[in-house]
Amino acid sequence: MADKDKDEQEKTIAEDLVAIKKYMMAGKISNCVIQGVIAQCVAGASVRDLCSLGDMLLLEETVKVFKKEKDMKKGIAFPTCLSVNNCVCSFSPLASDTDVQLKDGDVVKIDLGAHVDGFIASVAHTVVVGSSPSTKIAGRKADILLAAHYASEAAFRLMKHGTENQAVTNVVQTIAESFKCKPITGMLSHQLKQFETNGGKTIIQNPNENQRKEHEKSTFQLHEVYAIDVLISSGEGMTKGMDSRATVYKKTNETYVLKNKASNALFIEVNSKCGTMPFCLRNLEDEEKACVGVRECVSHKLLEPFPVLFEKPNEIVARFKFTVLLTPNGPQKITGLPFDPTAFQTDNSIIDEKVKKLITSSTRSKPNKKKPATTEVKKVSQSDHLISSRKPNFFDLAVMLN
């Protein structure tokens, strides 16, 4: 995939109303697809089948938009992954892998993303299999889910022009500790740009001493876009790889003349179908040949794997991810599902009064009373107001897209 013309100026939500519309479309699709997958997260369900379902829905829904734009790239921005209990992330098994069957009480993290013309909307949500509204979830499951939820809400409210990335790192740490939990060490949230899942700036969780020294400090700027990823563990927050092999990969900028026929075929297909977007080997034309070809591509750093990571056995991990646009009227979520804290029971709570106040604060920025200098700028301001003045729901999104 050519991704985008390098000579063409990068499109952002600052002046391109079409970019805003595409982000909103991708966000609507991601939210709808993850809801569809969650509905099938029942005891006995196959994780492999659920991952395939999510990817199928992402492709089906993205093909429905901008039909007249024949050359526009659309589709999966991140393949569907279901990580259960102490599995932290990136579990998306192939036909040749051992499958996992969901059981009542399992804590399941669903992660996926869609893109429209390279404008990416990622989302992750955590559910407890077999839970019902009539019975409250208690114990460590309640602790990690509430910690992850409140940390996400606090992070969202800090996503404003002028805030430093370290402020988000600190508030996530504070909230996790309030529930006697730990954020997963070293996990990153990324800035997004067109066709770029890693747009440059990052936010780190629970960094160790070396990571804290090396991680680059940055300040959020107006019109930037981020995928905020919060992962909270009932354990120490340390991860390691186990027996599960990586199945999700992403193309790098490295170059190398591949020797193996299967490797060449794989790399050509990835360039054509996926471009810079992460992909799962399961979704390629010949999964078996892809498994053979990927080895040479990885060994020469043409492809980068997303390793399947685990906490210690008997620990559990919760995850919430949302995509946020930094607009003049405040941060605007375009992905993320509702979460009801009253469905959980715990003896722990947030003690820090500043953090409590932050979580309940408005996300709206004070309006700029200065009149716009030009009609063009005024149009952008009106659009920003449309997507920022209130919390979006499916009706709002439908109105925006019609």
Side-chain angles (χ1 to χ4, degrees), residues 164-166 212 214-219:
E164 292 186 351
N165 57 354
Q166 191 173 356
R212 190 176 293 277
E214 295 173 2
H215 187 253
E216 187 175 346
K217 293 182 180 180
S218 62
T219 302

Side-chain angles (χ1 to χ4, degrees), residues 159-172:
M159 299 305 297
K160 296 181 179 181
H161 171 74
T163 303
E164 292 186 351
N165 57 354
Q166 191 173 356
V168 177
T169 301
N170 293 341
V171 79
V172 170

Side-chain angles (χ1 to χ4, degrees), residues 50 121 124 126 144 191 222 238 250 258 266 284 295 305 320 333 346 355 359 362 365 375 379-380 398:
L50 290 172
T126 303
I144 62 163
Q191 182 185 5
L222 195 62
M238 304 301 293
K250 176 185 173 183
L258 293 163
L266 166 66
L284 300 180
R295 297 168 192 165
F320 293 105
K333 277 186 187 179
T346 178
V355 174
I359 290 172
S362 171
S365 295
T375 304
K379 287 181 181 179
V380 173

Side-chain angles (χ1 to χ4, degrees), residues 14 36 40 60 93 170 180 190 279-281 310 355 374 379 388 398:
Q40 302 301 317
E60 285 182 353
N170 293 341
K180 299 180 173 59
H190 293 277
F279 64 93
C280 182
L281 297 177
F310 292 83
V355 174
T374 67
K379 287 181 181 179
S388 305

Side-chain angles (χ1 to χ4, degrees), residues 32-262:
C32 288
V33 170
I34 199 171
Q35 285 180 318
V37 175
I38 287 172
Q40 302 301 317
C41 285
V42 297
S46 156
V47 167
R48 182 193 296 125
D49 290 349
L50 290 172
C51 290
S52 296
L53 170 66
D55 290 349
M56 179 188 72
L57 292 174
L58 286 169
L59 292 172
E60 285 182 353
E61 294 304 311
T62 50
V63 80
K64 295 176 183 178
V65 300
F66 284 97
K67 289 183 178 180
K68 294 181 180 179
E69 303 289 340
K70 301 298 182 183
D71 296 329
M72 181 182 290
K73 300 294 182 181
K74 302 169 289 186
I76 298 173
F78 197 87
T80 309
C81 297
L82 266 76
S83 306
V84 182
N85 295 330
N86 70 314
C87 183
V88 176
C89 60
S90 306
F91 187 69
S92 193
L94 309 180
S96 53
D97 292 330
T98 301
D99 197 7
V100 173
Q101 308 293 319
L102 297 183
K103 304 184 300 294
D104 281 334
D106 280 345
V107 176
V108 184
K109 298 159 286 293
I110 305 100
D111 178 26
L112 56 85
H115 80 93
V116 176
D117 195 23
F119 295 100
I120 300 161
S122 299
V123 65
H125 197 77
T126 303
V127 297
V128 180
V129 177
S131 59
S132 67
S134 60
T135 305
K136 288 195 175 185
I137 296 169
R140 295 302 278 159
K141 291 176 185 177
D143 289 335
I144 62 163
L145 279 155
L146 287 171
H149 164 68
Y150 287 125
S152 297
E153 289 298 303
F156 173 47
R157 284 158 175 77
L158 289 173
M159 299 305 297
K160 296 181 179 181
H161 171 74
T163 303
E164 292 186 351
N165 57 354
Q166 191 173 356
V168 177
T169 301
N170 293 341
V171 79
V172 170
Q173 190 76 31
T174 298
I175 292 173
E177 290 174 356
S178 298
F179 290 89
K180 299 180 173 59
C181 300
K182 291 284 183 68
I184 295 294
T185 298
M187 284 293 178
L188 296 175
S189 296
H190 293 277
Q191 182 185 5
L192 302 175
K193 294 183 179 180
Q194 190 181 18
F195 290 108
E196 294 183 43
T197 55
N198 184 355
K201 297 180 182 179
T202 59
I203 304 162
I204 194 169
Q205 275 198 172
N206 192 19
N208 58 36
E209 189 172 340
N210 288 335
Q211 290 168 339
R212 190 176 293 277
K213 290 178 181 177
E214 295 173 2
H215 187 253
E216 187 175 346
K217 293 182 180 180
S218 62
T219 302
F220 306 137
Q221 301 294 329
L222 195 62
H223 300 125
E224 291 178 339
V225 181
Y226 288 84
I228 303 301
D229 203 0
V230 176
L231 301 98
I232 305 293
S233 170
S234 62
E236 293 301 312
M238 304 301 293
T239 64
K240 62 178 181 178
M242 293 178 70
D243 295 336
S244 297
R245 62 175 171 178
T247 62
V248 178
Y249 296 84
K250 176 185 173 183
K251 190 165 72 74
T252 70
N253 293 323
E254 297 291 328
T255 58
Y256 178 78
V257 179
L258 293 163
K259 308 295 191 297
N260 185 281
K261 185 177 179 180

Side-chain angles (χ1 to χ4, degrees), residues 228-368:
I228 303 301
D229 203 0
V230 176
L231 301 98
I232 305 293
S233 170
S234 62
E236 293 301 312
M238 304 301 293
T239 64
K240 62 178 181 178
M242 293 178 70
D243 295 336
S244 297
R245 62 175 171 178
T247 62
V248 178
Y249 296 84
K250 176 185 173 183
K251 190 165 72 74
T252 70
N253 293 323
E254 297 291 328
T255 58
Y256 178 78
V257 179
L258 293 163
K259 308 295 191 297
N260 185 281
K261 185 177 179 180
S263 304
N264 266 305
L266 166 66
F267 198 67
I268 290 170
E269 185 178 1
V270 167
N271 268 318
S272 174
K273 288 184 177 179
C274 314
T276 57
M277 299 297 173
F279 64 93
C280 182
L281 297 177
R282 184 185 56 252
N283 295 328
L284 300 180
E285 187 174 340
D286 189 321
E287 180 184 305
E288 187 175 345
K289 288 182 179 179
C291 289
V292 174
V294 75
R295 297 168 192 165
E296 186 183 10
C297 294
V298 171
S299 66
H300 293 285
K301 299 182 179 180
L302 298 182
L303 296 178
E304 177 184 0
F306 287 76
V308 184
L309 299 176
F310 292 83
E311 244 282 17
K312 291 180 181 179
N314 301 320
E315 302 295 353
I316 44 178
V317 177
R319 181 182 196 180
F320 293 105
K321 184 198 294 185
F322 61 89
T323 302
V324 58
L325 314 182
L326 274 59
T327 77
N329 288 341
Q332 172 66 37
K333 277 186 187 179
I334 60 169
T335 63
L337 301 185
F339 180 88
D340 181 12
T342 64
F344 301 86
Q345 184 175 344
T346 178
D347 294 331
N348 299 307
S349 62
I350 298 171
I351 300 171
D352 191 303
E353 292 299 327
K354 289 183 179 179
V355 174
K356 283 184 181 179
K357 187 176 180 181
L358 173 65
I359 290 172
T360 57
S361 65
S362 171
T363 60
R364 292 285 307 277
S365 295
K366 292 181 180 180
N368 187 352

